[in-house]
Amino acid sequence: MSKRRHKHDHEEHMDESWLVPYADILTLLLALFIVLFASSQVDQKKFEQIKMSFQAALSGGPSFMENVSPVPSQNSVGVANKGKEENDSKSELEKQMQEETEQLMELKRKIDQYIDEKGLTTQLDTQLDNQQLKITISDNTLFASGSAQLKPESRELAGTISELLEQYPNYEVVVSGHTDNVPIKTSQFPSNFHLSAERALTFMAVLLENPNVGQERFSSVGYSEYKPVASNDTAEGRAQNRRVEVSIVRNIQ
């Protein structure tokens, strides 16, 4: 009976000192995995929180994480590079837009100077916006009523505009014709579409008499009465609507 009791007591008090290093190994492995996980993240705040937690848990000496810093992941580096490229592209685009605006402003000043010198302020107008530099010419400056034949005195104007456009060869040029809403029906012009298109084509043809202007960048269109700039209810409004426009189109909008 005594021997049996002694054997039972020996089994209950078996040496368990091996559990201490085993627990230490598990703790170190856990710490290693947490460090690897934290190092792969970009979130510095979360990393610092993990670091402080381990420093508090592992007291008695400096933390083994003291000099560890989070390493940005490849994904975060790619995002950062993409953002930099987008900013560089945006800066380059803004630079190009500024250069284009300066060029068109210079052309506008030259045309306005010609208008002032020739006393054409009531017949011509220039406007620069985000789409184009537009030269507006009243129809009675160029044509007789109901006609698409260019007046001889207006050829000088067309020649001057052509010479100026020659200096800016990188822009598309659109010549458009416009009428009021008074119908026309003749053997030559069955409608205002025919009249507006023929006037635009006639003026463009004179611009293209300059062999150096670059014909490939020109086009013409007739809008009839459907793009008015004033009311057709008055004679003054109808006169404003009868016009030819030369649009120097921006490359960057």
Side-chain angles (χ1 to χ4, degrees), residues 4-228:
R4 193 181 303 124
R5 180 180 181 91
H6 176 75
K7 182 178 179 181
H8 181 71
D9 291 341
H10 177 74
E11 290 177 351
E12 288 183 347
H13 295 86
M14 184 179 297
D15 185 9
E16 297 179 351
S17 60
W18 62 272
L19 290 174
V20 176
Y22 180 75
D24 290 341
I25 292 173
L26 290 179
T27 302
L28 290 174
L29 286 174
L30 176 62
L32 175 61
F33 285 127
I34 292 176
V35 170
L36 292 175
F37 174 78
S39 298
S40 67
Q41 307 302 308
V42 183
D43 194 332
Q44 178 72 32
K45 183 177 180 180
K46 289 183 178 179
F47 180 82
E48 291 297 332
Q49 290 175 349
I50 295 171
K51 178 179 175 181
M52 292 175 64
S53 297
F54 270 92
Q55 285 177 339
L58 303 175
S59 58
S63 170
F64 65 91
M65 301 174 65
E66 187 67 35
N67 296 320
V68 179
S69 298
V71 179
S73 66
Q74 291 184 351
N75 185 49
S76 65
V77 172
V79 171
N81 289 338
K82 183 178 180 181
K84 183 178 183 299
E85 290 174 359
E86 289 178 351
N87 289 336
D88 292 343
S89 177
K90 183 177 180 181
S91 299
E92 181 63 24
L93 182 63
E94 291 174 348
K95 180 181 177 181
Q96 293 175 0
M97 290 180 65
Q98 180 63 30
E99 291 176 352
E100 187 173 81
T101 298
E102 291 173 358
Q103 288 182 355
L104 294 177
M105 282 294 297
E106 181 184 32
L107 175 56
K108 184 180 186 301
R109 285 192 295 268
K110 292 177 180 179
I111 298 172
D112 289 343
Q113 182 179 357
Y114 175 82
I115 292 173
D116 291 337
E117 291 174 354
K118 297 297 181 179
L120 300 173
T121 54
T122 61
Q123 299 170 303
L124 276 81
D125 181 57
T126 60
Q127 292 181 340
L128 177 61
D129 56 29
N130 292 331
Q131 284 76 44
Q132 62 198 348
L133 169 60
K134 182 167 61 181
I135 308 168
T136 302
I137 312 168
S138 64
D139 76 319
N140 58 10
T141 303
L142 304 175
F143 309 101
S145 179
S147 172
Q149 184 175 356
L150 202 63
K151 293 179 179 180
E153 60 269 25
S154 63
R155 283 186 165 271
E156 179 186 349
L157 169 63
T160 299
I161 294 176
S162 180
E163 290 175 0
L164 292 174
L165 293 177
E166 180 185 343
Q167 302 172 26
Y168 301 86
N170 297 324
Y171 296 95
E172 178 186 353
V173 180
V174 180
V175 183
S176 58
H178 304 261
T179 68
D180 57 26
N181 67 343
V182 178
I184 185 173
K185 190 172 184 179
T186 66
S187 58
Q188 186 177 6
F189 304 114
S191 70
N192 280 329
F193 270 118
H194 291 78
L195 177 60
S196 61
E198 186 66 25
R199 284 180 167 180
L201 185 60
T202 298
F203 191 73
M204 185 182 73
V206 178
L207 295 176
L208 295 180
E209 289 179 359
N210 179 353
N212 301 317
V213 79
Q215 296 188 9
E216 69 280 357
R217 62 193 180 109
F218 279 76
S219 61
S220 67
V221 61
Y223 286 114
S224 184
E225 65 196 71
Y226 296 106
K227 288 187 178 291

